[in-house]
Amino acid sequence: MTDLFRHISLHGYDKLVDSGLLSYERSRLDPANRSVEYFEKSILHFMGLYFQYERSDDFDAYGEFQKFLDHYATDNNETFYNILGVMKMLTPSCENLIINCMLGTKPIECFSKNAFQTQLTMYGPCCTFNANNVYSKRSYSTRYAGSNMGLIVILNTSQSDDTGSLLNMDGYAVLVHAPNKFPDTSSGGILEVFPSTNEESYLAVRARVTDSDPDLRTFTASHRKCYFDNESPYPQVLVNNRYSMQNCITSCRAKSVMALCNCIPFYMPLALIEGAKGIPFCTLSNIECIQQYRFKWRNVLTHRVEIMGLEREHEEALFCPACLPSCDDIRYSISMMSLPVDQFSFLGGVSSAPQLKDSNTQISVLRVFFGDTTAQFYRRVLTNAWSKAFCTVGNIVSICMGFSLVAILEMLYFVLKNLFASLKTYVKKSTSRSKWRRVSRLSTANSKQLLICP
């Protein structure tokens, strides 16, 4: 099995929760004494801060509610409205979502630094497993291949506190990605599945490893069309000293949002964004701008090729030419199978969990494991260097004709030697022939002057 463990993010039900208390607090601060129901409806506007596929045109209501929040819901020590804190409050907490965890047939503490932690993803705060990549090195016996040896998570999938759904679905989202990549599916390299509630889902992960010969460093990144880990067009996109194309595209998209809307989405990692200091998070007043450029930010080009009929798409898409693939990369593929969950068999071991106090609690089970004990390995090698090409030609000639470099020199020696001898003989003969012709002409001239007298 590959020595790199999967990095999993769980987003519970893609919903907003706990809005009742927040609505009551906002209603109490309202000088117009509007009802709690008005604020419960207005809180649903926060879903427009995500890059949703549905479009809303109620921008006046967004702006009005945001003005109220800026005036009456901002603390004295805050320069801007704390949209990140509010979204964390409205998102299901990991403690309420996750009931029990097992790894390699052994129970583990779910909320430790080696297990689940809350981190930002494209869906906002999510429960992230192996955030610190502590499972990158392990023995053969703990490589977690097989459905019983992998990660088993028992989830609380009750919907009694649902307020709004981001994806209009009855389930939860699972993102599988490398530890150094920000989980955003629109940046590529991130896998996403949507298991349903009240089911036991088997998620088999398979890895494909790509490695590159260090000799490729002799070429520039533009020629080899990839970056090594210590190379990057933007130094801030290096996570744990590793480059990834996904982080580069995320940084490029965030810069475009900053330039066009003068804000940053609250779920974006600020460490990957250059010049983010002092830029506020996007609020409800920025939703109109976000929806205006939504197509641009969801369609990314790293290289432009003129194709008939796609001229407009080329101009409207986000262009990030500096974001090249990684020379050393790991790609995952996943397959999922689901079965009805056996409530009694799993509830028996976790009956004392605080999440099960509600009699209407429903559970789901997620199994994440490696589907194979091995991984496909690909290696990029340098095949067109002049020295290797010369050796290849020499080897072919040697096999076919028995030539070698010494034989070629000997052949040149004998050819030049015979050529020089032939040239010397030719010059000698030419000199003798010229001398005979001069003597012959002299003899002819003297014979004409001979006189015989009586």
Side-chain angles (χ1 to χ4, degrees):
M1 180 62 66
T2 174
D3 285 337
L4 292 169
F5 198 65
R6 66 259 187 256
H7 183 89
I8 302 172
S9 301
L10 297 178
H11 186 76
Y13 322 122
D14 306 310
K15 64 185 179 180
L16 300 181
V17 300
D18 298 335
S19 61
L21 179 59
L22 185 62
S23 301
Y24 174 76
E25 293 178 353
R26 300 298 178 259
S27 176
R28 187 171 54 85
L29 297 173
D30 184 19
N33 295 322
R34 284 171 288 193
S35 64
V36 176
E37 290 75 14
Y38 166 80
F39 286 95
E40 288 182 350
K41 182 180 179 180
S42 298
I43 284 176
L44 295 179
H45 296 333
F46 286 120
M47 291 190 295
L49 295 173
Y50 297 92
F51 290 112
Q52 293 181 292
Y53 291 99
E54 296 82 4
R55 181 177 179 87
S56 175
D57 297 324
D58 196 10
F59 302 124
D60 294 336
Y62 292 162
E64 180 182 356
F65 187 57
Q66 186 60 49
K67 289 180 181 179
F68 168 81
L69 295 176
D70 292 337
H71 283 84
Y72 300 102
T74 303
D75 295 337
N76 296 330
N77 59 346
E78 294 177 345
T79 305
F80 305 102
Y81 180 68
N82 187 9
I83 189 68
L84 178 58
V86 172
M87 297 309 295
K88 288 182 177 180
M89 183 187 304
L90 294 175
T91 304
S93 64
C94 295
E95 288 74 11
N96 292 331
L97 174 63
I98 300 175
I99 299 177
N100 196 13
C101 308
M102 294 182 65
L103 181 63
T105 68
K106 297 180 180 179
I108 61 173
E109 184 180 353
C110 294
F111 309 109
S112 63
K113 64 178 181 180
N114 296 339
F116 284 97
Q117 295 181 344
T118 302
Q119 287 191 345
L120 292 176
T121 68
M122 60 177 292
Y123 291 120
C126 293
C127 308
T128 304
F129 182 79
N130 193 30
N132 299 320
N133 198 22
V134 296
Y135 297 104
S136 60
K137 296 181 180 180
R138 57 193 185 279
S139 63
Y140 182 83
S141 60
T142 56
R143 295 192 176 185
Y144 313 132
S147 59
N148 293 327
M149 290 295 296
L151 175 67
I152 304 175
V153 186
I154 302 177
L155 303 171
N156 173 19
T157 56
S158 61
Q159 304 177 22
S160 59
D161 57 352
D162 282 10
T163 301
S165 176
L166 299 179
L167 299 176
N168 296 325
M169 56 169 288
D170 182 15
Y172 53 97
V174 180
L175 305 177
V176 180
H177 54 95
N180 64 314
K181 298 177 182 178
F182 176 73
D184 187 353
T185 55
S186 58
S187 298
I190 311 300
L191 301 177
E192 182 180 25
V193 292
F194 304 98
S196 299
T197 58
N198 299 325
E199 290 186 350
E200 184 174 0
S201 301
Y202 294 77
L203 194 64
V205 181
R206 293 173 175 83
R208 186 186 67 180
V209 182
T210 302
D211 193 16
S212 297
D213 192 341
D215 292 341
L216 288 172
R217 294 179 181 271
T218 57
F219 295 90
T220 61
S222 59
H223 283 81
R224 61 176 129 92
K225 299 186 183 304
C226 66
Y227 289 114
F228 283 95
D229 286 339
N230 60 345
E231 300 175 333
S232 172
Y234 312 113
Q236 68 275 5
V237 304
L238 296 178
V239 178
N240 297 328
N241 295 324
R242 296 198 62 183
Y243 167 82
S244 69
M245 183 180 181
Q246 291 72 24
N247 290 345
C248 184
I249 293 177
T250 299
S251 178
C252 180
R253 181 185 293 111
K255 291 180 180 179
S256 179
V257 176
M258 290 168 52
L260 296 175
C261 297
N262 196 28
C263 65
I264 302 175
F266 72 93
Y267 52 83
M268 285 286 186
L270 299 181
L272 300 180
I273 307 173
E274 184 180 6
K277 187 177 181 179
I279 304 297
F281 287 123
C282 296
T283 60
L284 299 179
S285 58
N286 302 111
I287 292 181
E288 182 177 5
C289 180
I290 291 175
Q291 293 193 1
Q292 180 181 356
Y293 297 102
R294 180 180 56 184
F295 179 86
K296 178 183 182 68
W297 295 328
R298 281 198 171 273
N299 296 272
V300 182
L301 296 176
T302 58
H303 178 67
R304 284 178 175 173
V305 178
E306 296 299 331
I307 301 177
M308 187 71 67
L310 296 180
E311 293 81 6
R312 180 173 181 178
E313 284 75 8
H314 284 177
E315 296 300 326
E316 292 183 348
L318 180 64
F319 187 47
C320 304
C323 296
L324 299 177
S326 177
C327 296
D328 301 323
D329 195 14
I330 300 177
R331 294 296 181 96
Y332 297 99
S333 62
I334 54 177
S335 59
M336 186 179 71
M337 180 186 68
S338 298
L339 299 172
V341 66
D342 186 358
Q343 299 273 348
F344 296 100
S345 62
F346 287 100
L347 286 175
V350 295
S351 57
S352 60
Q355 299 94 329
L356 301 177
K357 292 180 179 180
D358 188 356
S359 59
N360 296 323
T361 299
Q362 298 177 346
I363 69 170
S364 299
V365 180
L366 176 66
R367 296 175 179 266
V368 186
F369 55 93
F370 279 118
D372 296 325
T373 57
T374 58
Q376 293 180 340
F377 181 82
Y378 297 89
R379 183 173 177 83
R380 297 187 184 96
V381 295
L382 184 61
T383 60
N384 57 350
W386 71 269
S387 57
K388 293 185 179 181
F390 183 77
C391 294
T392 302
V393 172
N395 292 334
I396 294 175
V397 173
S398 299
I399 293 173
C400 297
M401 304 181 65
F403 281 177
S404 65
L405 187 61
V406 176
I408 294 175
L409 294 177
E410 290 178 351
M411 182 181 294
L412 291 176
Y413 169 75
F414 286 109
V415 169
L416 293 177
K417 180 180 179 180
N418 294 331
L419 182 62
F420 178 76
S422 300
L423 183 62
K424 184 177 180 181
T425 303
Y426 175 77
V427 172
K428 185 176 181 180
K429 289 182 178 181
S430 298
T431 303
S432 301
R433 197 175 292 114
S434 298
K435 183 177 180 181
W436 180 83
R437 288 175 180 174
R438 287 196 301 270
V439 172
S440 177
R441 285 195 298 268
L442 182 60
S443 300
T444 304
N446 292 335
S447 63
K448 292 180 181 180
Q449 296 178 1
L450 178 63
L451 296 177
I452 301 175
C453 298

